[in-house]
Each structure stands twice: as structure tokens, then as C-alpha cells.
Amino acid sequence: MTKKLKLSLYRFDPAKDKRPYMSDYEIPYSSSGNMMVIDAIRKAQELDSTITFRRSCGQGVCGSDGVNMNGQNGLACITPVSKVMTANRLEVRPLPGLPVIKDLIVDMKPFYDQYEKVKPFLDNDEEIKTGHERLQSPKDREKLDGLYECILCACCSTSCPSFWWNPEKFVGPAALLQAYRFIADTRDKQKRMRLKKLNDAFSVYRCHGIMNCTSVCPKGLNPSKAINEIKKELRKTG
Amino acid sequence: MKLGNIEFTEQQFDVVIIGGGGSGLRASLEISKSGLNVGVVSKVFPTRSHTVAAQGGITCAIASADPNDDWRWHMFDTVKGSDYIGDQDAIEYMCSEGPETVFELEHMGLPFSRFENGRIYQRPFGGQSKEYGEGGQAARTCAAADRTGHALLHTLYQANLKAGTNFLNEWFAVDIIKNDSGVVSGISCFDMETGEVSIIKCNAIVLATGGAGQVYEQNTTSLICTGDGLGMVLRKDLPLQDMEMWQFHPTGLYGNGSLMTEGCRGEGGYLVNSEGKRFMPDYAPKAKDLASRDVVSRCIVQEILAGRGCGDKKDHVLLKIDHLGSEAIIKKLPEIREISMTFANVDPIENPIPVVPTCHYMMGGIPTNINGQVITQDSNGNDSIVNGLYSIGEAANVSVHGANRLGGNSLLDLVVFGRAAGKHINEELPEQSSSEVSNTNIEESLETLIRIQETKKGESVFSLRSDMQNVMQNYFGVYRNEDLMKEGIKKLEDITERTKKIHLNDKSGQFNSEKVEVLEYLNLLDIANATAYSALERKESRGAHAREDFPERDDENWLCHSLFFKDKNKVSKRAVNLKPKTVETFKPKPRVY
């Protein structure tokens, strides 16, 4: 059955708007279909071509289109409208906690800065003979499952009150998940340095186990668990 | 600086790479490590590039699943898969250099899945064999579950962070600048966030802009796959090669187009029709469901045309993997399950997945040699190198895929030739900037940008693009014939005419996504035309190019590349390289699976 969806979008153009406002669009919507939130936004864009948002893969693997839908963070391209709308109404806002540049686009720099801070790359200067890979047992490789799949969409960090308060000092769930991805990798040789760099009052310990990060992760990952693992390691090393 | 109504800034790098996907990042890593000043201009944050969506893996004879595996067998498969118009020197280079590049990725930290002995996991993929096709199915595709592209792209981005590469993220490249002496000397681009226009001067440009799957209505590719580098090349009177060759992946998710990796069939899945019958053994008794992609796609279309399609409209078939068991599916194909559940409401542990052939990969592209140097053809029909201009990855046509790409060869192509181009630039780049750029050169490169910025009324990009995609889908799809294509070309001519009056409604500076869509569409339309004229010209059936009016392969006339020039939509021929350096030529044979 075709109905109308009332899509309410957060609008802000820094060149002409003093403050942001919500703007409503009526979108044809069929409850039998499988319309994703991004489809609804693109329909609205056909009505008003100035609507701006990030998008790329359209299937939940690139992490471009993290937004806040009726209060919950997620990826617009894999969130069915039916799952988030209430009474045929859907409000879409930019991810909270990061500066808005325009409409649904936020400045991701504070988020990427935290990512880079944890040195998210394998560090192992040991000489390896060419012509071969490093060996890793399936059991050791399994330790990376649930960690390496992060798509850097920022849904978790921007749903975290500790990150809202201290975006510069608290590393945040996404970057901590990445930090642990390298701590847990048996091929990395800098575990000790990595832990040392995180061992202060803010980097990890601003996490109070609220677990918003885990409940919103569109990839079903569990940053809370990774953070607890880091805390455990920190206790071990003192 | 100011020219006319456009203000711009100037920047300088030794090397500019356009595109932050797998090939661009592999090249930038090589160049950064050598100490040259390299800038990566990417219209998205690099990890949002389309490489991220690759699932099944990277095919390469690392001799893990089979200690006796040999890169020459991989080469044989690839030449055969290409239906013999892949360049054999390039395929030889890719298959023999492959293992070293894969080991490098592992050393960088790529989280490959593993065998019990700790070596990299390899799975069977379509078109793979041992002993030059005589020794049965090989398992040669190295995998990180079904997220290999994601793991590869993130690993390369991370390695670039470590190497200190300069990134211009969310910058859109508009055009290449050639100076008055015809030397490649920079690019015009703009910062999408601020709208600031910039001229970047450099001594070498690498076009790593990826494919252009968005020319088709139904495709598995990201919305950003608009072939921007190909548009730039055509506007500089340089040719594109083999643009009639588009891969239709047999298993795009019905209704949505998302890719269901060939790994599904590699792990033991198979296709069934409306009668519940596994039909591939009827067409390809040996390879069955793991025949080459072009073959499987045509078989699916045949089944649908014979009325054995599934669903109310009988317009798709089913991919069955439930018999693999939930444990194997969760472990080896987790992303597939997720996408299928999200978009088709089907849990493949319980039910088969509805699939249909969907545009997936552009075999054609910018012709290059094995160093990634762009090639054009002089008036006598001889190859000539365009100094300072490189192209790699899906944008390029080196050509390792010929008329049909084998699964898992695209990721290998990215890293092998990204690395090769990087090495060549490190060795050959002139130390001093040799090129002076005049105001006229700059103005020329900003022409399109100025034009769309000044439109007052006209047609919107949205209707033009969907009309173009619709024509490509219906007139240049899996099966083609002359009448159909001529009709399609007429429609494209009409759309090209309408496009002259395209109107940019949004004139704002910051994050103007409509402006980006207009520029992307102009590139797509050029590519659509390239495909249409090249497809009409090639009067034979080869690889992905299947003509009802010329059903046979014609080696006498068409064992060659096609070259398309934008000027007068001219199509010419170019010889295929049949001279590998260390092995005997693989001579064309009938392609049976």
C-alpha cells in the first residue's frame, strides 16, 4: 500500500543560514517495499537538489552515510525506513557531537584525529624473508574478528556521551576498537608502547561502560568489549 | 589568482594521484616511501572508495592451498578468461609479480584468513585451473573472509598514514592540464567542503579513478563509480580501449544489485532455476557453476528467456548456499548473509538468494603499458607514450582482463600495477619541474566548471542521468545486436544533445553535491558513448561482448583491441600483445569450461 512518508531533514547552509532548521518533505512510501533511509533522502533530493549528504557504496561497507535517524545513529543505506519511522514520520539529523558543515555533513576531523592517534598500522620491524608471508594460526587470526571489520562510520563515537564531552582527550570507541585490533594482532611488536600511550586518565578511562557504541554499531561490532580488554591489559601491565 | 569570474589557489606536488582506492593507495605508498612529494586527490575519504566492496579475494599463485601451484597456470587461466585479447606481457607480469605483492600486503598487516598451518587461506574461484586447464579446479583466491577488499583498502590506507602520504580528501578533480608544448603539467580541482578551486602543478599524474558502473541502471558498484579519469582522458583527445567489454556479474542481488561474491559458489553454492534444477552442468559440464563470469551470466539469461526464471516475474534465478551449513556461512560468508538479510529479507542459511546478472566491472579503460604509462595512437596507427601521464586499476586497460575478467584478478591488478607505476615514477620522474603553465591552459581546464556555474535554466542532471542509464541497460546489455545498438545510439545522441542544456540549480560553494553529480554525469555520458560505438564496431562475440548477429569469435579480424576517440566517435584497432617474455605465447583456442 502506498502512503506518504513525512521526512524531516536537518538543513543548514553556512553561507546563508544563521541557524539550522528542520525541513519537511513528503515522500511516496510503500510499506510492502524495502525502502532504505538513503532512498528516501535521495527522493527528497530530487525535490530539492540542494540537500547534501555523503554517500558511496550504498550497501553498508564504506561507512559514508552515518546519520541520526529518529534519535538513533546508523547507516542510512542499510536502515529500512520501516525500522526507524514512527507514525509515518522520520527525522534525519547529522551525527551528534561533531561540528556540522552543511545539512547532514559533519566535520569528521576530530574523529579521524583520534583514529590516527592510536597508530592504526602494524608495527613490526623484524626482518622478514621475502617470498613468504608471516605465519599466523587460525586461532590467533580469530582474535582479530570483530575488530578489523570497522568501517569508520563514526556511529559509535558520536553516540558516546564521553566522546561528546572530551572529543580531544577521550580516544572514543571507534579508535579504541582499532587500538585493540593492533594490540591483539600477534604479528605486531608494539603492544607495550601502544598500552603505555593509552595509560592516562582520559584516553581509555573516560569510558564508563554506557555501551551506546555497541548498541548502535551497524556492523554488529562490540567496541565496549574491546575497551574492556584494553583495560584488562592495562591492569596487567600496571 | 583570478581568471575571469573564477578565483583559484595554486599548489605544487611532484606527483598527483587522482583516486584513493586500492591502486591509488598502492602507488602513493611506493612513491611516499621514496621521498617524493605525492598528493592523493580523492573525492571521498580513501576508505570509502569502491575497493572496499570487493568481497571474495585476491587471486594469486602463492602456493598455499596447493604447494605446487604455479603462476604460469594462473597466467593461462587469465589469458583464456580474457578470451585472448588480454595482453600477454601484462598478464605475465601480473601473475609472476603477484605473490610478492600479496606477501607485502600481509607484511603491512592485512588480516588474511588462515589455514591450519598458518599460511594464507585460498578458496576456489571461477575460471581457475591447475596444469594449464588439465589438472582440475584450483583454489587460488587469497581471502580475508568475504571482506577482502575492505581489509585490503584499510591496510593500504593505514600503511600510507605510516608513510606520511599527503591526502586531499573530498577534493574533486575536474581536468588534466597540458601546457602549450603538450606536456602533462597539472590538474584543476576543487575542495568539496569549501568550494575552493585549485590548480595543482606536478610532473606526473596518476589516474586511479576506478570504474564507471554507474553508466548502467542495474549495477553492483558504488555511486561514486563514475569514471572521472576516463572523461578527463577523452577530453584531452586521448583514446579509451575495449570499452565494449563490461562484466555482468552472474550474482547481483535481485532488486538491489548488491554483489553476492563468486566465493559463494567457490565454497560450494550453486544456481537453480524455477524448477529447482541446478542448470550450470548442462552448459559447462566441467567447471559447472565455476565457469567464467561471462559464461555463467549468459546461461542465467538463457534460463530466464526459456521461461525458467524465478519469482512472479520469472526474471531471476536462485543462488543456493544453505546446504553449506550455518557454521560455514557465518565463518566464511558473513557479509553475504548480512547483505542478503538486509536487502532481500532472505537468510541464506534457510533459503536461496534471488540473483540476476548485474553490471559489475569495466574491463575497458585507459590504455597503458605495464609501467602504467598512458598510451595513445599516432596517425600511422603506432603506439606512443603520453609522458607524465599514468593510469592504474579499473580505470586503466593494461590489459590484463581483455574481454572478461576472472574473479579475484581485479584486486591483484590494483596492487601489482599500482606498485609498478609507483616504481616507474620513482625512477623516471624528472627532478625539476619542466613545465610552464599558461593562463590559457588553466582557463581551458576550468571551462566545464565555469560553464555549469553560469547556467540559468535547462534540464536537471537527475533526469538526464536516469535516461542515459536506462538506454545503456536496455540497448547495450548482456546480449547485443546491430539494430538494437543503432537504436540505442540514436537515443544517446538525443541525450547528448539535451545535455548541452544541462542546468545546475544549486550554485552554492560548500559541499555542493549537485555540482559534483553534474560533473560525474558528464564523464559518464562520454563513457556511455565510448561503449556504444565500440560495441557497434566489434562485429563478433568475444568474452563479455555477445552479439546475436555475430555469434562466433572472429580471430582473423578481431583478435585486437578497440580504441575509441571522442573526436567524431572514431573507433580504431590496436594490436594485442602476444609476446610474453619468459613463457611461450598462449595461442587462441576455443574457450570451453
XYZ file of all heavy atoms in Angstrom, chain A residues 103-180:
636
model
N 24.030 20.734 6.078
C 22.963 19.720 6.137
C 23.376 18.503 6.974
O 23.647 18.636 8.158
C 22.547 19.294 4.718
C 21.897 20.435 3.946
O 21.576 21.453 4.582
O 21.726 20.305 2.722
N 23.480 17.323 6.319
C 23.770 16.108 7.085
C 25.270 15.818 7.171
O 25.676 14.760 7.656
C 23.047 14.915 6.448
C 21.523 15.046 6.405
C 20.891 13.900 5.627
C 20.943 15.087 7.828
N 26.077 16.742 6.670
C 27.522 16.503 6.629
C 28.215 17.119 7.841
O 28.119 18.325 8.079
C 28.117 17.057 5.320
C 27.577 16.232 4.153
C 29.637 17.041 5.353
C 28.186 16.546 2.817
N 28.903 16.261 8.587
C 29.644 16.745 9.757
C 31.141 16.773 9.453
O 31.617 16.125 8.524
C 29.410 15.834 10.995
C 27.977 15.958 11.483
C 29.769 14.383 10.687
N 31.860 17.543 10.257
C 33.308 17.591 10.145
C 33.877 16.370 10.876
O 33.793 16.265 12.094
C 33.819 18.886 10.781
C 35.324 19.011 10.671
O 35.962 18.111 10.079
O 35.867 20.007 11.187
N 34.426 15.448 10.109
C 34.904 14.181 10.682
C 36.319 14.297 11.264
O 36.857 13.335 11.779
C 34.903 13.088 9.598
C 33.532 12.705 9.071
S 32.633 11.599 10.165
C 33.405 10.016 9.760
N 36.933 15.494 11.140
C 38.337 15.604 11.511
C 38.627 15.162 12.960
O 39.570 14.391 13.173
C 38.837 17.034 11.271
C 40.342 17.146 11.414
C 40.886 18.464 10.934
C 42.410 18.482 11.054
N 42.906 18.267 12.437
N 37.831 15.615 13.942
C 38.152 15.181 15.316
C 38.134 13.656 15.448
O 38.927 13.077 16.185
C 37.026 15.803 16.155
C 36.488 16.922 15.325
C 36.674 16.522 13.892
N 37.242 13.019 14.690
C 37.133 11.560 14.718
C 38.357 10.906 14.080
O 38.972 10.000 14.641
C 35.842 11.160 13.978
C 35.650 9.680 13.801
C 35.172 8.893 14.842
C 35.935 9.072 12.581
C 34.989 7.526 14.663
C 35.756 7.707 12.398
C 35.282 6.931 13.452
N 38.749 11.399 12.896
C 39.926 10.836 12.220
C 41.203 11.107 13.028
O 42.130 10.292 13.020
C 40.086 11.430 10.815
C 38.982 11.065 9.842
C 38.483 12.004 8.937
C 38.442 9.775 9.805
C 37.493 11.674 8.026
C 37.445 9.449 8.903
C 36.963 10.395 8.015
O 35.978 10.065 7.121
N 41.267 12.265 13.693
C 42.452 12.572 14.507
C 42.663 11.510 15.585
O 43.783 11.079 15.841
C 42.304 13.944 15.172
C 42.555 15.080 14.187
O 43.049 14.792 13.076
O 42.244 16.241 14.525
N 41.564 11.104 16.215
C 41.681 10.073 17.262
C 42.126 8.740 16.660
O 42.916 8.007 17.243
C 40.350 9.896 18.004
C 39.954 11.086 18.871
C 40.944 11.365 19.987
O 41.825 10.560 20.301
N 40.826 12.539 20.610
N 41.592 8.451 15.483
C 41.976 7.224 14.779
C 43.484 7.226 14.537
O 44.185 6.256 14.842
C 41.192 7.145 13.462
C 41.590 6.029 12.512
C 41.384 4.686 12.842
C 42.121 6.320 11.255
C 41.722 3.678 11.952
C 42.458 5.313 10.363
C 42.267 3.986 10.712
O 42.602 2.994 9.826
N 44.005 8.328 14.006
C 45.442 8.390 13.711
C 46.277 8.339 14.980
O 47.397 7.836 14.975
C 45.756 9.671 12.912
C 45.212 9.615 11.493
C 45.605 10.830 10.653
O 46.667 11.414 10.909
O 44.817 11.180 9.751
N 45.714 8.853 16.071
C 46.456 8.893 17.337
C 46.851 7.496 17.824
O 47.892 7.329 18.450
C 45.603 9.600 18.389
C 46.419 10.347 19.425
C 45.633 11.478 20.059
C 44.988 11.036 21.353
N 44.172 12.110 21.970
N 46.033 6.498 17.527
C 46.348 5.155 18.056
C 47.329 4.402 17.143
O 47.567 3.211 17.325
C 45.086 4.281 18.286
C 44.105 4.998 19.209
C 44.412 3.911 16.966
N 47.896 5.121 16.172
C 48.813 4.489 15.221
C 48.209 3.196 14.645
O 48.666 2.085 14.946
C 50.164 4.194 15.873
C 50.916 5.464 16.267
C 52.369 5.158 16.579
C 53.115 6.372 17.096
N 53.196 7.493 16.168
N 47.200 3.366 13.823
C 46.458 2.197 13.336
C 47.159 1.499 12.168
O 46.648 1.455 11.062
C 45.131 2.807 12.885
C 45.525 4.172 12.398
C 46.672 4.619 13.265
N 48.344 0.996 12.435
C 49.038 0.222 11.416
C 49.966 -0.769 12.103
O 50.419 -0.540 13.227
C 49.824 1.122 10.458
C 50.518 2.281 11.125
C 51.687 2.090 11.848
C 49.988 3.567 11.037
C 52.322 3.155 12.463
C 50.623 4.643 11.663
C 51.794 4.428 12.370
N 50.194 -1.863 11.418
C 51.022 -2.915 12.004
C 52.456 -2.408 12.170
O 53.034 -1.853 11.249
C 51.002 -4.141 11.090
C 51.522 -5.423 11.748
C 50.432 -6.019 12.630
C 51.920 -6.444 10.684
N 53.012 -2.602 13.350
C 54.375 -2.143 13.613
C 55.224 -3.361 13.953
O 55.018 -3.997 14.989
C 54.352 -1.145 14.775
C 55.450 -0.105 14.623
O 56.470 -0.423 13.989
O 55.270 1.017 15.136
N 56.088 -3.695 13.046
C 56.925 -4.871 13.251
C 58.134 -4.744 12.342
O 58.050 -4.936 11.139
C 56.122 -6.139 12.906
C 56.931 -7.399 13.158
O 58.166 -7.380 13.211
N 56.232 -8.513 13.304
N 59.261 -4.352 12.938
C 60.451 -4.096 12.127
C 61.311 -5.332 11.921
O 62.322 -5.279 11.241
C 61.309 -2.997 12.770
C 60.623 -1.661 12.674
O 59.808 -1.514 11.740
O 60.857 -0.798 13.529
N 60.899 -6.428 12.547
C 61.679 -7.647 12.384
C 61.856 -7.971 10.914
O 60.926 -7.875 10.125
C 60.930 -8.830 13.026
C 61.310 -9.045 14.460
C 60.459 -10.151 15.071
O 59.925 -10.985 14.312
O 60.320 -10.153 16.297
N 63.046 -8.361 10.592
C 63.299 -8.688 9.196
C 62.483 -9.921 8.805
O 62.419 -10.894 9.542
C 64.783 -8.944 8.978
C 65.127 -8.947 7.539
C 66.437 -8.209 7.259
O 66.859 -7.353 8.053
O 67.014 -8.530 6.237
N 61.843 -9.825 7.642
C 61.127 -10.996 7.171
C 61.705 -11.375 5.827
O 61.971 -10.505 5.010
C 59.619 -10.743 6.986
C 59.390 -9.231 6.864
C 58.810 -11.357 8.092
C 57.998 -8.877 6.565
N 61.858 -12.666 5.662
C 62.372 -13.042 4.351
C 61.290 -12.801 3.304
O 60.110 -13.029 3.545
C 62.854 -14.489 4.363
C 61.796 -15.507 4.686
C 62.361 -16.900 4.497
C 61.234 -17.861 4.739
N 61.242 -19.154 4.696
N 61.715 -12.276 2.161
C 60.745 -12.057 1.098
C 60.355 -13.423 0.543
O 60.966 -14.437 0.840
C 61.342 -11.192 -0.027
O 62.577 -11.771 -0.416
C 61.555 -9.773 0.433
N 59.335 -13.406 -0.256
C 58.892 -14.665 -0.831
C 58.055 -15.499 0.126
O 57.821 -16.675 -0.115
N 57.610 -14.893 1.207
C 56.747 -15.623 2.126
C 55.938 -14.663 2.989
O 56.380 -13.551 3.236
C 57.587 -16.525 3.026
C 56.897 -17.812 3.348
N 55.876 -17.893 4.248
C 57.074 -19.054 2.868
C 55.451 -19.150 4.311
N 56.162 -19.883 3.471
N 54.762 -15.121 3.423
C 54.015 -14.332 4.381
C 54.442 -14.693 5.790
O 55.090 -15.725 5.988
C 52.505 -14.570 4.215
C 51.960 -15.930 4.686
C 51.996 -16.995 3.596
O 53.025 -17.079 2.874
O 51.021 -17.762 3.490
N 54.088 -13.824 6.759
C 54.250 -14.235 8.159
C 53.184 -15.296 8.438
O 52.054 -15.177 7.969
C 53.979 -13.063 9.103
C 55.081 -12.063 9.189
C 54.811 -11.173 10.405
N 55.758 -10.105 10.427
C 55.581 -8.935 9.824
N 54.460 -8.679 9.192
N 56.521 -8.031 9.868
N 53.541 -16.264 9.233
C 52.537 -17.266 9.586
C 51.710 -16.758 10.765
O 52.189 -16.016 11.597
C 53.213 -18.583 9.944
C 54.038 -19.228 8.811
C 54.641 -20.546 9.291
C 53.192 -19.450 7.560
N 50.456 -17.178 10.781
C 49.578 -16.849 11.908
C 48.561 -17.985 12.012
O 47.943 -18.342 11.002
C 48.876 -15.510 11.659
C 48.040 -15.022 12.826
C 47.462 -13.628 12.592
O 46.930 -13.331 11.543
N 47.564 -12.762 13.590
N 48.411 -18.531 13.203
C 47.479 -19.661 13.322
C 46.051 -19.144 13.219
O 45.773 -17.994 13.532
C 47.672 -20.359 14.667
O 47.192 -19.527 15.705
N 45.118 -20.008 12.750
C 43.719 -19.579 12.676
C 43.217 -19.090 14.037
O 42.400 -18.176 14.108
C 42.981 -20.852 12.251
C 43.997 -21.690 11.564
C 45.303 -21.369 12.232
N 43.730 -19.667 15.099
C 43.295 -19.260 16.437
C 43.748 -17.820 16.748
O 42.998 -17.029 17.304
C 43.877 -20.236 17.475
C 42.934 -20.511 18.619
C 43.457 -21.611 19.505
C 43.364 -21.158 20.942
N 44.350 -21.777 21.800
N 44.995 -17.523 16.377
C 45.474 -16.149 16.576
C 44.754 -15.172 15.652
O 44.449 -14.047 16.035
C 46.990 -16.065 16.333
C 47.781 -16.583 17.522
O 47.189 -16.669 18.630
O 48.975 -16.908 17.364
N 44.483 -15.621 14.451
C 43.771 -14.769 13.498
C 42.362 -14.466 13.990
O 41.835 -13.360 13.800
C 43.744 -15.451 12.126
C 42.815 -14.859 11.109
C 43.112 -13.393 10.804
N 42.125 -12.866 9.875
C 40.881 -12.559 10.205
N 40.471 -12.661 11.471
N 40.038 -12.113 9.301
N 41.769 -15.436 14.668
C 40.407 -15.270 15.172
C 40.299 -14.109 16.164
O 39.244 -13.500 16.314
C 39.974 -16.578 15.845
C 38.505 -16.878 15.704
C 38.221 -18.335 16.048
O 38.303 -19.196 15.143
O 37.951 -18.598 17.236
N 41.432 -13.807 16.822
C 41.426 -12.698 17.789
C 41.117 -11.355 17.123
O 40.774 -10.401 17.787
C 42.792 -12.604 18.485
C 43.089 -13.779 19.391
C 44.515 -13.714 19.905
C 44.845 -14.993 20.690
N 46.297 -15.189 20.833
N 41.284 -11.297 15.806
C 41.016 -10.042 15.093
C 39.568 -9.931 14.626
O 39.119 -8.872 14.204
C 41.955 -9.903 13.878
C 43.444 -10.083 14.156
C 44.253 -9.894 12.881
C 43.903 -9.098 15.222
N 38.836 -11.036 14.679
C 37.433 -10.996 14.276
C 36.657 -10.081 15.218
O 36.843 -10.125 16.437
C 36.814 -12.401 14.291
C 37.262 -13.220 13.082
O 37.697 -12.614 12.083
O 37.176 -14.464 13.149
N 35.786 -9.277 14.637
C 35.036 -8.322 15.446
C 35.807 -7.039 15.682
O 35.330 -6.131 16.361
N 37.029 -6.951 15.142
C 37.846 -5.744 15.326
C 38.190 -5.099 13.980
O 38.022 -3.912 13.775
C 39.151 -6.094 16.065
C 38.990 -6.757 17.437
C 40.357 -7.221 17.952
C 38.374 -5.781 18.433
N 38.686 -5.962 13.038
C 39.183 -5.403 11.783
C 38.049 -4.932 10.867
O 38.276 -4.190 9.918
C 40.063 -6.434 11.049
C 39.305 -7.465 10.242
C 39.077 -7.259 8.883
C 38.786 -8.620 10.826
C 38.364 -8.191 8.131
C 38.085 -9.549 10.088
C 37.871 -9.335 8.742
O 37.159 -10.247 8.017
N 36.824 -5.348 11.140
C 35.709 -5.054 10.229
C 35.199 -3.627 10.324
O 34.329 -3.224 9.552
C 34.542 -6.013 10.510
C 34.877 -7.486 10.353
C 35.292 -8.108 11.685
O 35.956 -7.413 12.479
O 34.964 -9.279 11.928
N 35.717 -2.848 11.282
C 35.226 -1.468 11.479
C 35.319 -0.682 10.180
O 36.309 -0.745 9.462
C 36.035 -0.778 12.561
S 35.683 0.987 12.674
N 34.255 0.086 9.864
C 34.219 0.849 8.612
C 34.392 2.352 8.848
O 34.178 3.151 7.935
C 32.920 0.567 7.834
C 31.702 0.905 8.699
C 32.856 -0.895 7.376
C 30.386 0.850 7.935
N 34.727 2.759 10.055
C 34.987 4.180 10.382
C 33.801 5.084 10.053
O 33.981 6.181 9.525
C 36.246 4.685 9.660
C 37.548 3.945 9.949
C 38.688 4.516 9.088
C 37.923 4.064 11.428
N 32.598 4.620 10.357
C 31.421 5.435 10.059
C 31.146 6.458 11.156
O 30.374 7.386 10.951
C 30.193 4.557 9.860
S 29.677 3.650 11.329
N 31.748 6.238 12.345
C 31.622 7.161 13.480
C 30.278 7.085 14.195
O 30.006 7.908 15.070
C 31.933 8.596 13.082
N 29.439 6.124 13.840
C 28.158 5.996 14.540
C 28.380 5.784 16.038
O 27.657 6.311 16.880
C 27.344 4.828 13.976
S 26.629 5.180 12.374
N 29.413 5.000 16.384
C 29.635 4.678 17.801
C 30.170 5.866 18.575
O 29.596 6.277 19.592
C 30.565 3.475 17.938
S 32.224 3.710 17.265
N 31.267 6.456 18.085
C 31.885 7.543 18.843
C 30.931 8.727 19.020
O 30.924 9.384 20.052
C 33.180 8.004 18.168
O 34.164 6.979 18.263
N 30.094 8.974 17.993
C 29.184 10.114 18.105
C 27.896 9.775 18.860
O 26.998 10.600 18.956
C 28.810 10.675 16.711
O 28.163 9.651 15.961
C 30.050 11.155 15.970
N 27.812 8.558 19.377
C 26.675 8.252 20.249
C 27.155 8.152 21.698
O 26.403 7.802 22.599
C 26.004 6.937 19.824
O 26.854 5.852 20.134
N 28.431 8.465 21.908
C 29.046 8.251 23.224
C 29.147 9.563 24.000
O 29.866 10.480 23.591
C 30.442 7.656 23.019
S 31.413 7.613 24.534
N 28.453 9.674 25.119
C 28.491 10.917 25.902
C 29.913 11.304 26.320
O 30.238 12.490 26.359
C 27.635 10.584 27.126
C 26.729 9.499 26.670
C 27.517 8.697 25.678
N 30.763 10.319 26.596
C 32.133 10.659 26.985
C 32.879 11.317 25.822
O 33.694 12.213 26.026
C 32.895 9.403 27.431
O 32.288 8.862 28.564
N 32.578 10.865 24.608
C 33.214 11.465 23.430
C 32.654 12.871 23.189
O 33.377 13.774 22.785
C 33.007 10.574 22.195
C 33.855 10.954 21.008
C 35.222 10.682 20.984
C 33.298 11.585 19.905
C 36.012 11.040 19.884
C 34.080 11.949 18.803
C 35.441 11.677 18.796
N 31.350 13.047 23.445
C 30.784 14.400 23.309
C 31.508 15.383 24.231
O 31.800 16.498 23.858
C 29.286 14.415 23.672
C 28.418 13.597 22.766
C 28.707 13.193 21.501
C 27.122 13.083 23.072
N 27.663 12.458 20.989
C 26.679 12.371 21.938
C 26.279 13.147 24.182
C 25.439 11.743 21.888
C 25.050 12.519 24.143
C 24.634 11.813 22.993
N 31.757 14.921 25.461
C 32.387 15.813 26.451
C 33.865 16.046 26.147
O 34.369 17.142 26.299
C 32.274 15.228 27.871
C 30.945 15.493 28.488
C 29.961 14.592 28.695
C 30.455 16.757 28.960
N 28.871 15.211 29.268
C 29.160 16.535 29.435
C 31.013 18.048 29.004
C 28.382 17.558 29.966
C 30.240 19.075 29.548
C 28.938 18.821 30.018
N 34.585 15.009 25.780
C 36.043 15.127 25.621
C 36.537 14.580 24.276
O 37.326 13.655 24.230
C 36.763 14.364 26.749
C 36.486 14.957 28.108
O 35.686 14.429 28.871
N 37.122 16.078 28.400
N 36.066 15.195 23.178
C 36.437 14.632 21.871
C 37.932 14.722 21.585
O 38.424 14.035 20.706
C 35.646 15.488 20.872
C 35.334 16.746 21.591
C 35.238 16.397 23.039
N 38.635 15.595 22.307
C 40.075 15.692 22.068
C 40.871 14.729 22.922
O 41.904 14.208 22.492
C 40.566 17.118 22.325
C 40.419 18.009 21.110
C 39.788 19.337 21.467
O 40.236 19.947 22.443
O 38.820 19.726 20.778
N 40.390 14.503 24.160
C 41.209 13.689 25.075
C 40.763 12.231 25.146
O 41.592 11.341 25.339
C 41.157 14.289 26.475
C 41.874 15.634 26.578
C 41.661 16.120 27.980
C 42.457 17.343 28.343
N 41.942 17.858 29.626
N 39.463 11.987 25.049
C 38.987 10.608 25.074
C 39.079 10.040 23.661
O 38.530 10.623 22.724
C 37.548 10.556 25.597
C 36.927 9.180 25.545
C 37.584 8.064 26.076
C 35.674 9.003 24.964
C 37.009 6.792 26.020
C 35.089 7.730 24.905
C 35.761 6.629 25.433
N 39.783 8.936 23.525
C 40.036 8.380 22.190
C 38.727 7.962 21.494
O 38.598 8.055 20.278
C 41.028 7.198 22.301
C 41.165 6.467 20.986
C 42.402 7.717 22.749
N 37.769 7.538 22.286
C 36.466 7.174 21.713
C 36.417 5.720 21.264
O 37.446 5.115 20.958
N 35.196 5.164 21.213
C 35.069 3.725 20.942
C 35.645 3.255 19.612
O 36.278 2.195 19.547
C 33.562 3.474 21.007
C 32.910 4.803 21.041
C 33.911 5.792 21.543
N 35.467 4.028 18.535
C 35.936 3.542 17.222
C 37.455 3.408 17.220
O 38.002 2.374 16.815
C 35.492 4.489 16.107
N 38.141 4.455 17.665
C 39.606 4.408 17.639
C 40.146 3.421 18.671
O 41.190 2.797 18.449
C 40.175 5.798 17.867
N 39.422 3.235 19.776
C 39.884 2.240 20.760
C 39.733 0.825 20.211
O 40.561 -0.054 20.471
C 39.131 2.402 22.086
C 39.579 3.627 22.906
C 38.638 3.859 24.082
C 41.025 3.494 23.413
N 38.669 0.623 19.449
C 38.494 -0.685 18.802
C 39.687 -0.955 17.877
O 40.241 -2.060 17.842
C 37.197 -0.692 17.982
C 36.822 -2.022 17.324
C 36.027 -2.889 18.298
C 35.988 -1.806 16.065
N 40.104 0.087 17.151
C 41.261 -0.047 16.260
C 42.548 -0.256 17.064
O 43.421 -1.025 16.662
C 41.406 1.207 15.390
C 40.344 1.344 14.336
C 40.413 0.235 13.301
O 41.497 -0.132 12.846
N 39.269 -0.320 12.952
N 42.655 0.466 18.181
C 43.846 0.305 19.028
C 43.953 -1.155 19.448
O 45.025 -1.777 19.370
C 43.751 1.208 20.252
N 42.820 -1.711 19.856
C 42.858 -3.102 20.319
C 43.075 -4.084 19.167
O 43.708 -5.129 19.352
C 41.581 -3.460 21.099
C 41.713 -4.825 21.742
C 42.692 -5.044 22.726
C 40.920 -5.896 21.340
C 42.875 -6.298 23.290
C 41.094 -7.151 21.897
C 42.068 -7.346 22.873
O 42.250 -8.592 23.420
